Amino acid sequence: MRTAAVWAVLRRELERSAGRSLTVLDVGGGTGGFAVPLAEAGHTVTVVDASPDALAALTRRAADAGVADRVHAVQGDGDALAGLVEPATADLILCHSVLEVVDDPAGVVAAIGAALRPGGAVSLLVAGRAAAVLGRAINGHLGAATALLDDTDGRAGTRDTLRRRYDAETASALLGSAGLTVEEIHGVRVLADLVPAAVVEADQQAMLDLELALAARPPFRDIASQLHLFARRP
């Protein structure tokens, strides 16, 4: 349920390139939740991540899945991406839950744009501002909700674990500044983080169907915990 909307978009892109092995870059890909399934589908994936422990787990996971030869681990953080990847070499780049924590999100997105081949695509997943405001307000933290709403970067004060949050407009503008064209925007976890766990567990299929039905429909899309943007280099 937490990744269904993202995978739906990625599968359409893989079908678009059916019969061809893609060169995929997964920025901040950690232990390989996306990288290993993509490698199992026949694609070559390079994972860039700052955590050596996560990369070690990725290597084990790829070996267990029998795709060690198609998964490559590179230690480095998102801000160093431009120096880690050759220009115009990737068909598909995943950048999930990275722009919230890097020093220079615009620089990271520019490096992603440069690393894509013409016609290549990027899957961007970012934390949503509206969901964070609603979540804090629902839990009675009205001051934090107000601070987050008014803050330029969408932070709820100095103790916030994220450095910034986005809405569809700000995330789209960031991609556009790197010369990328946004094709699709979806919400991820529109309701899953709002309804009681017992409701989710009672009928998981119904919850999944509703999540997917709401994912691309504003205003429901815009209150999702995360926003997924799919863009392409012309």
Side-chain angles (χ1 to χ4, degrees):
M1 190 175 302
R2 290 180 174 272
T3 59
V6 179
W7 273 115
V9 176
L10 292 179
R11 287 192 186 98
R12 286 197 294 273
E13 181 66 11
L14 298 182
E15 290 168 1
R16 183 175 180 269
S17 305
R20 185 164 65 96
S21 177
L22 301 181
T23 299
V24 182
L25 174 65
D26 190 352
V27 184
T31 61
F34 282 89
V36 170
L38 287 170
E40 289 178 312
H43 308 288
T44 301
V45 188
T46 297
V47 176
V48 176
D49 199 281
S51 169
D53 291 338
L55 294 178
L58 163 71
T59 301
R60 292 192 298 271
R61 187 173 187 173
D64 290 344
V67 293
D69 59 328
R70 291 199 293 273
V71 177
H72 310 288
V74 176
Q75 187 174 356
D77 59 30
D79 284 305
L81 186 63
L84 298 172
V85 182
E86 293 295 323
T89 55
D91 299 301
L92 175 64
I93 298 179
L94 278 59
C95 182
H96 296 169
S97 303
V98 172
L99 297 189
E100 299 92 326
V101 297
V102 295
D103 292 331
D104 181 14
V108 174
V109 173
I112 286 171
L116 283 171
R117 292 187 174 114
V122 56
S123 168
L124 180 72
L125 191 64
V126 293
R129 179 198 290 259
V133 173
L134 287 175
R136 282 162 175 76
I138 289 170
N139 287 298
H141 305 299
L142 301 184
T146 301
L148 198 152
L149 180 64
D150 293 338
D151 185 79
T152 303
D153 292 322
R155 298 189 77 202
T158 56
R159 294 186 179 181
D160 198 329
T161 57
L162 298 183
R163 300 175 70 173
R164 59 191 68 86
R165 292 177 178 84
Y166 295 87
D167 53 35
E169 290 74 20
T170 55
S172 295
L174 192 58
L175 290 168
S177 69
L180 302 172
T181 302
V182 176
E183 295 183 344
E184 299 183 61
I185 304 176
H186 291 89
V188 176
R189 293 167 22 227
V190 177
L191 295 178
D193 293 345
L194 293 176
V195 302
V199 174
V200 178
E201 294 297 326
D203 194 338
Q204 294 189 30
Q205 188 59 52
M207 189 67 196
L208 176 59
D209 292 343
L210 183 56
E211 280 280 336
L212 292 175
L214 296 176
R217 299 187 187 183
F220 307 107
R221 175 199 74 185
D222 300 312
I223 64 166
S225 295
Q226 293 176 296
L227 295 174
H228 180 236
L229 292 86
F230 194 76
R232 195 173 303 278
R233 178 180 175 184

